Amino acid sequence: MRRYKKDQLKKIRIYLILDSMKRTKYIIKHDIFKEVGKNFFFQPRKIPADPKLIKFHNNVVVTSGVLFITHDVTDFMLNNRENIDHFYKYNSGCIEVMNNVFIGSNSIILPNIKIGNNVIIGAGSVVTKDVPDNSVIAGNPAKIICSFDDYINKRKQKDENLVEYTNEETENKLWEQFYKNKD
């Protein structure tokens, strides 16, 4: 029970750290997840119920609002029905995120999922099955939309037209570019 309270206090502390870089350092320092590799960045403020069921390898970016679901509690509802003839067990599973992975905002990763190497998951995706290496996925349920290499090539071309956002002057340039593209 003591460990449970300590873990809960850590989750509350993480939620209260507003700066995502500081939050990531805290997560690494306090060994919140089962494993965390090098160049890890974790932006969400909510920590999953069972963080020790999640492994992150090297160069992983998890953006805001991402949910890692390591269990379901349908057993609670099923076991509380009238006249049941079977006792349902708590259903939980692990999640592993390999190297060079970007998980877009508000995505949901379900239990027993392995996300391969060199993967980009689009914002708002619901990952219901394993993600193969070298793929870009999006949607609900998430599906492959292109290869990792195709995305890299498209992004290189796009970078030629991007203005780097650094100050108020570039903010104005971004608005000019926005309206130019809308005409």
Side-chain angles (χ1 to χ4, degrees):
M1 186 62 132
R2 188 178 194 150
R3 181 178 174 214
Y4 174 77
K5 285 183 180 180
K6 206 172 189 180
D7 288 346
Q8 293 305 99
L9 288 174
K10 285 180 184 178
K11 287 180 183 181
I12 292 168
R13 171 75 174 117
I14 290 166
Y15 186 83
L16 295 174
I17 300 171
L18 300 180
D19 181 285
S20 51
M21 293 301 282
K22 289 179 183 176
R23 192 165 42 254
T24 299
K25 287 179 184 178
Y26 183 91
I27 287 167
I28 293 168
K29 180 181 178 183
H30 293 277
D31 231 9
I32 301 298
F33 294 105
K34 180 72 172 173
E35 184 178 303
V36 171
K38 296 176 187 169
N39 300 318
F40 176 68
F41 179 75
F42 193 84
Q43 197 173 21
R45 294 174 66 195
K46 293 180 184 176
I47 297 299
D50 303 310
K52 292 296 184 185
L53 296 179
I54 303 171
K55 288 184 180 182
F56 297 100
H57 291 264
N58 298 321
N59 197 31
V60 174
V61 174
V62 182
T63 60
S64 64
V66 173
L67 296 176
F68 292 90
I69 310 297
T70 56
H71 67 282
D72 80 35
V73 290
T74 55
D75 59 292
F76 185 77
M77 180 274 301
L78 294 172
N79 289 329
N80 285 302
R81 295 175 300 143
E82 292 182 23
N83 304 319
I84 63 168
D85 60 350
H86 178 81
F87 179 78
Y88 296 88
K89 296 178 184 175
Y90 180 72
N91 182 18
S92 59
C94 299
I95 298 171
E96 185 169 20
V97 181
M98 302 308 286
N99 300 310
N100 307 316
V101 174
F102 174 89
I103 304 175
S105 292
N106 298 316
S107 292
I108 300 172
I109 315 300
L110 295 179
N112 294 311
I113 297 292
K114 181 176 180 180
I115 298 171
N117 295 295
N118 304 318
V119 168
I120 296 172
I121 299 173
S125 296
V126 178
V127 181
T128 60
K129 58 185 178 181
D130 289 353
V131 180
D133 291 349
N134 303 308
S135 57
V136 177
I137 66 168
N140 179 6
K143 296 188 181 341
I144 295 174
I145 58 173
C146 69
S147 74
F148 190 78
D149 290 337
D150 287 344
Y151 179 84
I152 295 291
N153 291 330
K154 289 176 189 176
R155 183 60 195 259
K156 282 179 185 175
Q157 290 173 352
K158 185 177 184 179
D159 274 358
E160 294 172 10
N161 298 318
L162 292 178
V163 175
E164 190 164 336
Y165 183 61
T166 55
N167 57 30
E168 189 176 330
E169 184 181 323
T170 56
E171 179 182 302
N172 292 333
K173 286 181 183 177
L174 287 169
W175 279 110
E176 286 174 26
Q177 187 178 42
F178 175 81
Y179 287 118
K180 181 182 171 186
N181 291 336
K182 299 299 175 189
D183 292 336

